[in-house]
Amino acid sequence: MEGMEESIEQTTPYKSGFVAIAGRPNVGKSTLINTLMGQKIAAVTPRPQTTRRQQLGILTLENAQIIFVDTPGLHRAHHKLGEWMNVEATHAFAHSDVLMIVVDGSQPVHEEDHLVAKIILEQAITLPQILIINKRDLIPPENQLFVKVAFSTLFPNATPVFISAAKDENFEALLSILTQHLPKGDPFFPEDQVTDLYEREIAADLIRESALLYLRDEVPHSIAIRMDEFTERGEMGAYIAATLLVEKESHKPIVIGQGGEKIKQIGQAARQEIEKMSGRKVYLQLRVKVRPNWRNNEKVLQQFGFRSHQ
Ligand SMILES: Nc1nc2c(ncn2[C@@H]2O[C@H](COP(=O)(O)OP(=O)(O)OP(=O)(O)O)[C@@H](O)[C@H]2O)c(=O)[nH]1
Ligand SMILES: [Mg+2]
């Protein structure tokens, strides 16, 4: 028997491919990526539209390399940045082998879930689809069937799976379903690479995550992070200087806070997250600047790395 198992293993071909994660904002797409990766690579907050661009989570297993593509939540856009984020997400679907549609099972079907369904119908109808009904920990067991029927009606081609991205630890079954759908092929990335973003880009996202957590209402969504310096200082760790760009003069004192209290809080929390991510000491210096209406300014968007999709 032992010999037989060995020969089966040898003939099992290696699989590799891309799994795009689709869904409206705040359903837990980035949380799921972090959990599947077993480490935090993506910013997560209780606010919608945390993720602004694609990010890969590269999971190298013994029999497969699964490349997850985190995407911005699909939503009704109110500015050019929002429109860009929606295009960024749909582009990811077009270049993937499998689609994981994430919904928040603790909430009723949302208007934006319908938007997701429409976009998938138009742009990704041929892909194998898995419906991730997330936040199971918040769904009373007696409601599960109803929830499943409601979302399966919206996504009839997807296989439904209940999970809790924030609480579950064992994703063997899900990984195995995904692997089955991947094409045969060699790994695309070296096995120790976990994402496609540079450390400084993740650091920028972690600063914005902190701003989203500590500021209220519209202010945090109007922030962009510009990394001004990211240098290694040997034993001292890394030195990072970044500017928080806000859209309105009136936002500046809100971000700074009384006696600089708010920006200090944002900086401290961000520093801790960046230290956790990079495994070394970080010295972080933040400034605030006004860049009027940047979310509607094509040129500024390009400068901030939201490059044209054409
Ligand atoms: N209770 C519970 N909360 C969860 C679960 N998964 C995610 N969350 C929370 O849901 C919120 C949104 O999570 P994100 O991962 O940022 O959601 P997202 O879909 O990436 O959102 P966008 O980037 O804005 O599109 C956060 O507060 C998470 O902690 C879960 O399984 N259970
Ligand atoms: Mg996200």
Side-chain angles (χ1 to χ4, degrees):
M1 277 306 273
E2 257 177 34
M4 221 172 114
E5 270 173 27
E6 230 177 74
S7 71
I8 290 171
E9 228 166 69
Q10 275 166 8
T11 53
T12 306
Y14 201 83
K15 301 253 193 122
S16 63
F18 292 78
V19 178
I21 310 209
R24 68 179 178 91
N26 220 33
V27 292
K29 299 181 295 300
S30 301
T31 307
L32 178 59
I33 290 246
N34 288 337
T35 310
L36 288 167
M37 295 299 301
Q39 61 180 295
K40 182 166 175 176
I41 59 161
V44 165
T45 82
R47 291 173 182 281
Q49 293 164 42
T50 297
T51 304
R52 280 181 173 166
R53 61 183 155 187
Q54 277 185 37
Q55 179 178 6
L56 303 184
I58 305 161
L59 186 65
T60 305
L61 306 170
E62 233 165 65
N63 57 341
Q65 185 172 70
I66 310 179
I67 304 153
F68 298 103
V69 192
D70 194 7
T71 66
L74 292 165
H75 64 288
R76 301 222 176 272
H78 298 297
H79 40 66
K80 285 213 170 80
L81 172 63
E83 288 167 19
W84 186 92
M85 284 159 56
N86 281 341
V87 175
E88 176 83 344
T90 48
H91 269 227
F93 311 158
H95 297 107
S96 291
D97 302 294
V98 184
L99 198 59
M100 273 209 290
I101 304 159
V102 184
V103 297
D104 181 345
S106 71
Q107 300 286 322
V109 174
H110 191 279
E111 182 210 347
E112 283 168 342
D113 290 314
H114 285 274
L115 178 68
V116 176
K118 182 167 170 278
I119 289 172
I120 290 172
L121 202 62
E122 288 168 355
Q123 315 215 13
I125 188 72
T126 55
L127 290 184
Q129 299 169 15
I130 297 171
L131 173 64
I132 302 288
I133 306 175
N134 191 30
K135 310 199 186 182
R136 193 194 48 206
D137 53 296
L138 301 177
I139 312 171
E142 64 273 20
N143 288 0
Q144 281 207 3
L145 184 61
F146 173 79
V147 169
K148 187 166 146 180
V149 170
F151 283 105
S152 290
T153 308
L154 195 56
F155 301 104
N157 298 321
T159 312
V161 180
F162 277 93
I163 65 153
S164 174
K167 302 266 160 79
D168 290 349
E169 279 169 7
N170 189 347
F171 286 92
E172 287 295 313
L174 177 59
L175 292 177
S176 154
I177 299 174
L178 292 172
T179 304
Q180 279 167 28
H181 286 297
L182 293 183
K184 292 172 201 155
D186 292 332
F188 286 86
F189 295 94
E191 63 177 283
D192 56 353
Q193 186 174 347
V194 292
T195 186
D196 60 329
L197 293 188
Y198 291 109
E199 206 176 24
R200 64 184 288 153
E201 295 172 298
I202 302 178
D205 278 353
L206 293 174
I207 297 169
R208 210 166 56 78
E209 175 187 79
S210 183
L212 280 162
L213 288 171
Y214 283 96
L215 296 164
R216 291 193 310 183
D217 306 323
E218 243 309 276
V219 182
H221 285 298
S222 79
I223 290 177
I225 309 298
R226 193 183 67 202
M227 297 298 268
D228 302 317
E229 194 176 335
F230 192 127
T231 42
E232 295 300 333
R233 298 218 169 147
E235 292 274 290
M236 305 266 289
Y239 172 78
I240 303 173
T243 305
L244 281 71
L245 295 143
V246 293
E247 281 197 322
K248 292 182 185 158
E249 206 56 61
S250 61
H251 287 169
K252 199 172 162 177
I254 300 174
V255 177
I256 293 170
Q258 271 209 326
E261 222 15 68
K262 197 52 104 183
I263 189 89
K264 200 170 143 194
Q265 257 181 345
I266 293 171
Q268 270 174 358
R271 179 177 54 76
Q272 282 171 7
E273 284 295 319
I274 299 169
E275 284 182 343
K276 238 196 285 173
M277 182 256 307
S278 67
R280 56 169 153 37
K281 271 193 87 60
V282 166
Y283 182 82
L284 177 64
Q285 190 152 36
L286 297 179
R287 292 190 308 163
V288 186
K289 263 194 171 175
V290 183
R291 189 64 71 88
N293 201 23
W294 70 265
R295 282 183 295 180
N296 271 314
N297 187 328
E298 208 95 51
K299 261 201 190 136
V300 177
L301 286 174
Q302 297 244 359
Q303 277 170 13
F304 288 169
F306 302 105
R307 292 200 183 78
S308 164
H309 285 111
Q310 276 94 46

